[in-house]
Amino acid sequence: MKPAATDAAATASLYEARKKIYPREADGRFQRLRNLAVWVLLGLYYLLPWVPWDGRQSVLFDLPARKFYVFGLVFWPQDFFYLTWLLIILGLSLFFFTALAGRLWCGYACPQTVWTEVFLWIERKIEGNRNKRIKLDRSPWSLAKLARKGTKHAVWVIFALWTGFTFVGFFTPIHQLTGKVLDFTTGPWETFWVLFYSFATWGNAGFMREQVCKYMCPYARFQSAMFDRDTLIIAYDTGRGEPRGARSRSADYRSQGLGDCIDCKACVQVCPTGIDIREGLQYECIACAACIDACDEVMDKMSYPRGLVRYTSQKALEGGQGHVVRPRMMVYGGLLGALMIGFVVSISLRTPVGLDVMRDRNALYRTLPDGSIENVYLVRILNKDTRAHRYLLSATGIPGLELGAGQQRDEPADEETDELEHTGHVPRGAGFEIGAGAVFSVPVRLRVPAGAASGAHDVSFEVVAADAPRLKASRDARFLGP
Ligand code: SF4
Ligand code: SF4
């Protein structure tokens, strides 16, 4: 027969049941900073899709048309490398700011933190402060409890639906989406994403909260690899605070052998992840600084100096001199600065016109009755600008080179059927009227006089807007002769 203890061990769960956390509201300089971050970030999120720009939505990621509108800029699939560039900048920023000041992102800017703040605020307004919320949860079900819980969830759901609607409004023009929602005519994908994003917001910010940070977020797992002994962390000054213990305000606590910590647990009660910062740096800490505000308030009341819990570094805590400027910061900062400057310069110098040239694969070249040699290409001109332009096409590279253009088409050139209008405008080129955001495809023939080209030659096509010479693009191609 097995001993009872072995049976108990065999049936015991390895998982600790979640204890619901009731964070107390913190008040102080860092909380005000967090409130500001919430206002700015959520303000941008909810208002940007409603801001008009040049007769359209200021920020719109139009996936079906494969165009991203960001204020005056229009990004095409060909501009995809800007997105890669931006992601590298964001990744490096995370390295830089984490090495500088720990989990700044988690504490102030992460969507999970920001939306949880709003959901908590709604909860406090409806269910009351920490003590009232605990009492309400422990009380038996009654009409009053049902009314409070029902109201809270109704407000949460409305807010979550607005969040999901706004999210889809970045991908579908939000005015159109509003009309569809009011008429109940949203498409299946729009409906799915509105509901999915609403559900995710409601679930993550209303219920999961700190569990997302503790169990789901990968960043929490590897962030410590970016820390060094000079990184700013939020820490409790054990040397100053211990031994902790209750005392009266007027007591000479030093003579009682006590440190500055009065063991009030205010720092624990405000913590959104429910940890005790006095136990040292823990991976659950999202660096929200609520415990600094709570402890500073206590220190003020006790007339002790602030900073028992504070931003500091491991080195400083051990009595050393912390350094903000260190080789790692200089490398991260230098790279980040260079990438950001390059990004801004590249965007500002970017010309909103694209040119693609493809050789006709049906024939290498054609010899005309007068002996001249002709090559055929399909030219695509992308007018990425927000205005229509007349574009002039020209080609250079071989003496006596002439260019002829056919009619607009979308398929590769077929020299048997194309009616070519030979322009001979070299170097001024053939002109095409191309609408805003339109792609123009045209078969083009290059012709050289007899004997002017044998074998392969490099030629260069150039397109330039007649009314805006800075809008130009060029593309190299091969001209083949006998
Ligand atoms: S320990 Fe302090 S900084 Fe860390 S999560 Fe808790 S309250 Fe925020
Ligand atoms: S708030 Fe300050 S004084 Fe109170 S328990 Fe925390 S560290 Fe100690």
Side-chain angles (χ1 to χ4, degrees):
M1 194 175 128
K2 280 186 195 167
T6 313
D7 284 347
T11 53
S13 168
L14 293 174
Y15 296 96
E16 191 188 13
R18 182 199 176 209
K19 293 188 193 83
K20 187 171 174 187
I21 294 166
Y22 300 89
R24 213 186 77 190
E25 193 171 13
D27 188 21
R29 54 206 163 124
F30 294 110
Q31 183 58 42
R32 283 195 286 280
L33 208 57
R34 271 152 53 85
N35 289 346
L36 182 70
V38 170
W39 277 102
V40 171
L41 295 172
L42 290 192
L44 286 175
Y45 177 79
Y46 290 106
L47 293 181
L48 266 185
W50 297 99
V51 176
W53 194 276
D54 262 356
R56 55 167 169 77
Q57 196 168 311
S58 58
V59 178
L60 178 67
F61 306 117
D62 190 347
L63 293 180
R66 283 173 288 169
K67 286 180 201 157
F68 290 180
Y69 300 94
V70 182
F71 297 98
L73 301 170
V74 186
F75 293 96
W76 289 54
Q78 290 82 353
D79 299 319
F80 195 75
F81 73 97
Y82 283 115
L83 183 63
T84 316
W85 197 336
L86 193 63
L87 289 177
I88 294 172
I89 289 177
L90 292 178
L92 206 57
S93 304
L94 203 63
F95 275 59
F96 178 78
F97 287 108
T98 305
L100 180 71
R103 294 174 71 176
L104 273 186
W105 162 259
C106 302
Y108 295 89
C110 171
Q112 175 65 17
T113 306
V114 170
W115 268 298
T116 301
E117 282 284 317
V118 179
F119 273 60
L120 260 172
W121 180 83
I122 295 170
E123 191 169 78
R124 281 192 200 109
K125 289 287 163 213
I126 296 171
E127 294 186 358
N129 63 24
R130 179 174 190 268
N131 292 341
K132 285 186 180 156
R133 296 202 306 275
I134 295 175
K135 206 169 147 197
L136 183 70
D137 275 2
R138 288 184 185 159
S139 67
W141 280 101
S142 64
L143 265 182
K145 180 171 175 175
L146 202 63
R148 274 192 193 279
K149 293 273 175 198
T151 311
K152 178 182 82 174
H153 280 285
V155 178
W156 275 4
V157 167
I158 291 168
F159 185 71
L161 282 171
W162 183 32
T163 305
F165 167 80
T166 306
F167 176 75
V168 175
F170 278 99
F171 299 89
T172 299
I174 203 155
H175 289 283
Q176 281 177 28
L177 186 66
T178 310
K180 288 184 192 174
V181 168
L182 294 177
D183 297 345
F184 296 101
T185 54
T186 48
W189 282 111
E190 287 162 341
T191 311
F192 169 79
W193 282 110
V194 169
L195 294 180
F196 178 80
Y197 205 81
S198 307
F199 179 73
T201 308
W202 181 68
N204 288 340
F207 297 94
M208 304 286 287
R209 292 188 181 172
E210 81 290 348
Q211 297 184 85
V212 174
C213 313
K214 280 162 81 170
Y215 307 120
M216 291 162 67
C217 176
Y219 175 51
R221 310 284 147 190
F222 68 81
Q223 44 119 6
S224 57
M226 298 179 226
F227 280 39
D228 59 28
R229 284 162 43 75
D230 283 304
T231 298
L232 279 182
I233 50 171
I234 292 172
Y236 165 71
D237 190 340
T238 315
R240 187 185 141 189
E242 299 296 317
R244 64 186 81 159
R247 82 288 306 264
S248 75
R249 265 190 71 185
S250 54
D252 180 5
Y253 64 99
R254 298 270 183 221
S255 64
Q256 295 171 21
L258 290 173
D260 279 0
C261 176
I262 66 168
D263 204 16
C264 61
K265 297 194 172 54
C267 53
V268 183
Q269 290 169 3
V270 293
C271 179
T273 62
I275 58 170
D276 187 341
I277 189 70
R278 295 172 300 170
E279 288 171 11
L281 188 60
Q282 295 149 73
Y283 84 92
E284 294 97 333
C285 174
I286 58 165
C288 67
C291 51
I292 300 184
D293 283 335
C295 191
D296 280 351
E297 207 179 325
V298 175
M299 294 294 110
D300 288 350
K301 280 187 191 146
M302 298 299 290
S303 307
Y304 299 168
R306 285 181 164 197
L308 178 57
V309 180
R310 63 178 183 273
Y311 273 107
T312 182
S313 68
Q314 252 177 302
K315 208 186 245 177
L317 269 182
E318 290 160 9
Q321 177 70 45
H323 295 100
V324 175
V325 182
R326 45 199 199 272
R328 171 199 284 235
M329 298 312 303
M330 284 161 69
V331 171
Y332 286 163
L335 278 174
L336 191 58
L339 278 171
M340 285 167 80
I341 291 170
F343 187 78
V344 172
V345 169
S346 171
I347 293 264
S348 54
L349 294 180
R350 173 179 167 268
T351 50
V353 57
L355 177 65
D356 286 331
V357 178
M358 283 170 285
R359 275 190 59 83
D360 176 23
R361 295 201 188 94
N362 292 330
L364 291 179
Y365 63 89
R366 193 167 75 154
T367 308
L368 300 181
D370 64 355
S372 57
I373 308 297
E374 192 174 77
N375 279 206
V376 179
Y377 306 82
L378 181 71
V379 171
R380 282 175 81 230
I381 304 168
L382 292 76
N383 179 15
K384 303 181 195 173
D385 202 16
T386 48
R387 287 190 300 123
H389 291 284
R390 178 172 167 75
Y391 284 97
L392 305 175
L393 180 67
S394 60
T396 53
I398 304 173
L401 186 68
E402 288 188 350
L403 181 149
Q407 292 170 352
Q408 179 183 352
R409 50 173 297 148
D410 292 324
E411 299 298 322
D414 176 352
E415 62 180 300
E416 297 304 318
T417 55
D418 283 331
E419 287 292 317
L420 290 185
E421 171 206 333
H422 187 73
T423 64
H425 288 165
V426 180
R428 188 162 172 272
F432 310 104
E433 200 68 38
I434 307 178
V439 180
F440 185 88
S441 294
V442 64
V444 164
R445 290 178 176 178
L446 292 186
R447 185 181 297 170
V448 295
S454 61
H457 292 262
D458 289 331
V459 288
S460 177
F461 285 85
E462 186 185 74
V463 70
V464 56
D467 57 340
R470 79 173 185 88
L471 297 190
K472 62 178 172 185
S474 59
R475 184 70 65 181
D476 291 336
R478 299 286 271 173
F479 184 95
L480 300 178

